Amino acid sequence: MNIIIKTKSLTKQYGHILAVDHIDLEVFEGEIFGLLGPNGAGKTTTIRMLTGQIKPTFGEAWIAGYDIIHESIKAKESIGVVPEVSNVYDEMSAWENLIFAAELYDVPRSERSKRAIELLKFFGLYERKEDKVANFSKGMKRRLTIATALIHKPKVIFLDEPTTGLDVQSSRMIRILLKQLNKTGVTIFLTTHYIEEADQLCHRIAIINKGKIIALGSPEELKTKAEEEHIIEISFSISKDVEEYEDIENQLKNLNYVNSISRIGDKFRLYVENTSEAIPIIIDFCRKNNLKIISINTLKPSLEDAFVKITGLSPEIMKIEKETKKRVSLG
Amino acid sequence: MAKTWIKSLIKAFYIAKKDAKVYYFKAPNFTYGLLMPFALFIAFSLSGQINPLLIIPGLISLVILFGTTSIEAVAVVLEKQTGTIERLLIAPISFFTIVLGKALAGLFFGLILSIIILIPSAIISGISIANPLLVLIAIIISSLTFSTLGVLVSAYAKWVPEAQMLSNFLRFPMAFICGVFLPIENMPIQLVIIARFLPLTYSVEALRISVGNSISIFTYLIDIVALILFSFIFLIIGSKILQKRLE
Ligand SMILES: Nc1ncnc2c1ncn2[C@@H]1O[C@H](COP(=O)(O)OP(=O)(O)O)[C@@H](O)[C@H]1O
Ligand SMILES: [Mg+2]
């Protein structure tokens, strides 16, 4: 397979912060590659370096064979970029936005209209082509931003958190469109902090945390890694009292063979080394504390479990950060 | 090489066209660019004798200066603030092309503004313009120079009012020492030296020569060359500042 994106010790330092810390990546032509990590992990910084918006402090990278620093114009001609926040011009129509993109990317004059029509149809915006973008919903703006990034038929498209901030339906639509786009041969490099999204969409995933790549592989490979650990899911007949839950959670965590614990609704998930040793201990604990078990299951690890095991981060942390971020942008 | 230059000039024109669509019609600064020089002028001309051949070129230079720097404050700062500048950064174009595009939109704005002022004021005062072609060239080059100055200042500023304030630090002193109201020959030598480092001096001089057919064509040529040099320097510094501010 051809390598279309390659980085060598790519690094970005902001003052004391190593936003991106010596990362080495290889992305193959035709794949959907995901950079998965919590907020502040260095995803955006990585994309901004690869797309020539900021200069790396150290290291190198190539896109379609072009050095991103010394041949940045050539590299830029081969890529499309969709930033975290849709950046189409509100004051112009969808059509004008596409034509302006075509002008900047040297699309021959005779092909501009044809491409714009194709893309508007593909992204379901054709009926609204003369409308000012200011009247578009968030999902429509995101689709138009992706369309403008494709006007010059780039080999690679970069998307920074393509579904963040969108409603469920718009997000689903974008994921479907990205898959269709990939089938036409476009390499997709995206970032996300949604584990499920990475799982559904990506052929390969790199997990990034604190600027470092800490795991790399297909979703299946990552799940297999997590399989060395087992999961027991258990629920009890107890009141909905928060303190009681926390109390039980703390006690369960301290049991032998239990590595870590998370809570999903009224269920506890115990990550254990050895199921057959752990289950009797858990049952014993319940009996001693008069806890009535409603259900107990052993689970096949999901990508989320793999993520927890590999990063040591709770998946809840990603969700909490996402919420606060949303609030900030609203306020 | 030449092909690359033509390509980036064409793209600068596309950026200029886009700027005109997006920013130029929603600017309250439109009026700011016209009102301020008028106010200055009326205040000044009330106190002295009025020779239209001296006054009109000065007025046009001032209108170009205030108009283009005001519109660039909007076009450059809003592009940064709304984040649409990213669209230009990811495109296969250089920072120089971006600032040149911004300045070209300003150039057309300055040109239209000065024609709006020049024709009625020439008719009202009854002067006949000595050399219309040279006037047109002087107007175009002045518009370019002051637009690039506006881009430079606005590349640094974070907010539109900040860009306006920074521009005022340059616009008002220039308005008083660059020969708009008083010919610089009548000023103390220290001020004359300073005036020779400021672009407005050359703009006023070139317009006076071409409107009134007064001094030599040679001086006019020097003025035009000086203005072009200023433009280049402002464009280069402006593109560096923009790059630094976006890191
Ligand atoms: N322009 C900047 N100046 C200083 N620090 C920055 C800048 N951009 C990003 N950072 C820091 O770099 C780290 C990575 O940020 P970012 O790449 O935006 O993360 P992500 O996109 O994964 O949420 C964070 O700690 C962030 O605060
Ligand atoms: Mg980010």
Side-chain angles (χ1 to χ4, degrees), chain A residues 106-310:
Chain A
D106 291 312
V107 177
R109 189 179 286 271
S110 56
E111 286 187 36
R112 285 175 199 159
S113 302
K114 198 179 117 233
R115 296 251 184 103
I117 291 169
E118 271 170 22
L119 285 165
L120 285 165
K121 286 188 173 156
F122 183 78
F123 285 97
L125 295 167
Y126 188 71
E127 315 299 315
R128 304 287 301 272
K129 68 183 195 314
E130 301 297 342
D131 288 12
K132 290 250 183 307
V133 171
N135 304 325
F136 281 16
S137 71
K138 264 187 173 177
M140 290 166 73
K141 276 190 195 179
R142 188 64 51 91
R143 279 181 275 144
L144 179 61
T145 309
I146 302 174
T148 58
L150 293 169
I151 194 86
H152 57 299
K153 297 201 171 152
K155 287 185 177 159
V156 187
I157 173 167
F158 289 86
L159 300 108
D160 196 4
E161 311 225 2
T163 63
T164 297
L166 300 187
D167 58 80
V168 180
Q169 208 155 10
S170 299
S171 301
R172 240 195 61 192
M173 183 165 182
I174 284 186
R175 282 196 286 267
I176 292 169
L177 288 167
L178 289 178
K179 273 191 179 161
Q180 284 176 6
L181 185 67
N182 177 248
K183 291 227 170 71
T184 68
V186 178
T187 307
I188 297 179
F189 184 109
L190 60 86
T191 73
T192 182
H193 64 250
Y194 298 117
I195 297 165
E196 266 171 55
E197 179 167 283
D199 194 9
Q200 286 171 20
L201 210 51
C202 300
H203 300 127
R204 287 196 308 142
I205 298 168
I207 297 180
I208 184 171
N209 191 29
K210 296 188 179 145
K212 286 196 176 74
I213 302 290
I214 51 178
L216 180 91
S218 69
E220 298 316 312
E221 282 165 357
L222 293 174
K223 285 176 207 169
T224 315
K225 265 188 202 164
E227 253 162 26
E228 295 150 20
E229 193 172 55
H230 299 266
I231 300 160
I232 298 169
E233 196 174 75
I234 187 166
S235 64
F236 305 110
S237 143
I238 47 177
S239 67
K240 300 284 175 210
D241 185 24
V242 176
E243 272 179 35
E244 193 174 357
Y245 270 102
E246 276 174 9
D247 194 37
I248 294 173
E249 188 171 333
N250 283 332
Q251 292 187 45
L252 284 170
K253 201 189 289 178
N254 291 331
L255 294 178
N256 274 341
Y257 295 102
V258 176
N259 287 341
S260 59
I261 185 164
S262 70
R263 209 169 76 221
I264 291 142
D266 58 354
K267 292 193 176 79
F268 295 92
R269 272 192 184 179
L270 311 178
Y271 299 82
V272 301
E273 277 162 30
N274 185 328
T275 322
S276 53
E277 297 284 351
I279 288 179
I281 292 175
I282 293 165
I283 305 243
D284 218 36
F285 165 83
C286 296
R287 204 177 285 138
K288 261 189 220 146
N289 291 280
N290 273 329
L291 284 169
K292 227 168 119 190
I293 297 172
I294 295 178
S295 70
I296 180 162
N297 290 305
T298 55
L299 300 179
K300 186 173 181 290
S302 64
L303 187 64
E304 184 162 300
D305 302 317
F307 182 85
V308 170
K309 183 168 154 57
I310 293 164

Side-chain angles (χ1 to χ4, degrees), chain A residues 14 17-20 37-46 84 160-161 191 208 325, chain B residues 247:
Chain A
Y14 286 117
I17 302 169
L18 262 175
V20 174
N39 271 304
K43 303 183 294 297
T44 300
T45 308
T46 304
E84 210 167 345
D160 196 4
E161 311 225 2
T191 73
I208 184 171
K325 203 177 155 194
Chain B
E247 267 282 301

